[in-house]
Amino acid sequence: MKNSIGISLVVASTVSIAACGSHAEEEVRQRIERVENGMMPAILVTGEDLSPVTIWDIMQRFNVPGVSVAVINDGALEWAKGYGVLEVGGADVNTETLFMAGHISHAVAAVGALSLVEGGHISLDENINGRLHSWQVPDNEFTVSEKATLRRLLTHTSGLSVSSLLGYLPGEPVPSPIQILDGVAPAKNDSIRITVVPGSRQQYSLGGYVVLQRMLEDVTSLSYSDFVNSTVLSPLGMDRSFLSQPLPEELATNAAAGYEATNEQVRGRWRIYPELAAMGMWTTPSDVAKLVVELQRAHAGESSRVLSQTMANEMLIQQFENRGLGVEIGGGGDWRYFRLEGHGNNYLSELFCYVSQGMGAVVLTNSSNGEAVKAHILRGIATEYGWPELLPEEVEAVSLPLETLRELEGTYSFRGRDRVLRLENGRLLQSSEGNPDQEFRCLSDSTLISTTFGYRYDIDRDEAGSIIGLTLVLNGTRLFTYQRN
C-alpha cells in the first residue's frame, strides 16, 4: 500500500438503524445517503460553485482504509455504519469493528474519576499526592504554592508534562507503570513532571492521564481496567469497549489495523499503549454513543446510572478556557457542546456532541491521515442535522498576481516536517509526504487559508520583504511557524 487504498477498499458494509417503523427507517436511510454524498471542504469561496463529493471519494483521496460512524439524534443513537475494510485486502468494517479510541479514552477516565468524587473517596481540589501511594508527583520550584489536583488533571492545567505518547510495536519491551511515570527505559516518553505552576495555564498533558490512571488504581486497589469496567462500561452496556493492551487475540479478528501517514500498515497491525486512561481503549462509535447519551440524560436529570445531574453538569461546564472535566467545551446557550479528538496513534477520531440538544456524532478512523476524513464526515452530518457548528465557512478570497504567488513557492519546515508549496495551473497547492495535495487560497496579501481544514496562516516577511515563513493562526493566536528553507 504505497499511494492509494484503491476503490475496492471503500465499499460500505453494515448499517444499524435504531428508528422504529418502516416510514421512520426510510427517512433515516435517506438521511444517511445525503450525509454520504454531502462531503464538503472546510472552506467555501464566495461566488464559486463547488459540488459535494462522497464519503468513498474522501476515503480514497486521503488513503484511509476504514471508518466507522455513529449519529445521535433526539437523545438516542439514530444510526451507525461502517465503511471500508479492517486492513487492505481484508474484511469489511461493520458496526462491531473495534478501533483504538485514542484521546476519547479521556471521557471514560473522567467519568470513572468523578464517580469516586461523588462517593467521597477523593476531592476535585485536593493535592493528588495525598491519594497516590505507589508513586508521588515530585515537588519542585513550581509546586511551592500550588499543587496538582484532580480538577487540574482533567482540565490539562496540572502543569504536568508529556503531550504525546509513542506506543510500542510488537516485540518491543513494554514499560511498567512506574517506568512510564519516571521516563525510564524501555519507556519512550520523558519523565512526567510538573513544569509550570499548577493552575496557571493550560498545558496539554497525556502525562496527567497516566498519573490519573495510577491514582485511580491506588484509591480503589483495583486495576484500572477492572475499575472502569465496573463503574462505567458495564453499567452503560458498553460491551464492545475494552481496556486491553495488547488486544487479546479473540478480539483482533474484528479490529481495524492502524496505518501510518505514509500509508503503510503499522507493523503487527497496531501499536501497544499501556497508558489506558490516556490512549488505550478499544471501542466502537455505537459504544461511545452510549456514554454520550448517558451524559446528556444525566445533565437533563433523566438518569444517574454513572453520574448525578450535579456532577454531570460540573463535567460539562467550562472550567478553564475551553475545558470541562475530561472534555473540551465550546458553543453557547442551547448549543453548548463537548468534544474530544483522538490523535497520534494511527486512529484519528472525534466525539462531537451537544450538551442539551440530544444530538452528536462519533467518527473513528484507522489512519494517521484520518483528520480530513473525519472532518468531512462531521461537516456532512452537521449540514444534514442542522448543527450550527462544523459547517463549511464561507470566505472572500482575493486574486494575487502570479509573481506574488510564485514568491510563496518553496519548502517550509517545522520540527522536521516539510511542507512544499507550489503553483500549478494558477492554484497554490501544498504537498507533504504521504498526504494528498491541499489547496491554499489567499484572504489577503498576508494571509492564506487551507480549504481542506480551514487553517489560517500568516505570511511572514523579513525587513527586505522576502518571505521567511508561514505561521499557523488559531482564534487570533499565532501558534507556530513553518520556516522557509
Side-chain angles (χ1 to χ4, degrees), residues 239-314:
D239 53 8
R240 288 295 290 169
S241 297
F242 303 97
L243 292 159
S244 303
Q245 293 281 349
L247 191 66
E249 187 175 340
E250 63 270 20
L251 298 175
T253 55
N254 193 12
Y259 281 81
E260 309 280 14
T262 57
N263 305 323
E264 299 287 347
Q265 186 181 116
V266 175
R267 178 166 63 84
R269 299 189 72 203
W270 43 68
R271 288 177 172 79
I272 297 166
Y273 287 88
E275 307 91 351
L276 299 177
M279 303 277 290
M281 184 172 72
W282 287 88
T283 191
T284 68
S286 297
D287 249 31
V288 176
K290 294 176 182 178
L291 176 63
V292 168
V293 169
E294 177 62 23
L295 289 174
Q296 291 171 332
R297 295 190 67 219
H299 172 267
E302 297 171 356
S303 180
S304 57
R305 285 189 292 172
V306 290
L307 294 179
S308 69
Q309 183 178 30
T310 299
M311 190 58 70
N313 290 347
E314 186 78 10

Side-chain angles (χ1 to χ4, degrees), residues 36-55:
E36 291 172 344
N37 292 284
M39 303 290 104
M40 300 290 284
I43 297 300
L44 302 178
V45 177
T46 301
E48 296 183 6
D49 292 330
L50 183 66
S51 299
V53 297
T54 71
I55 188 172

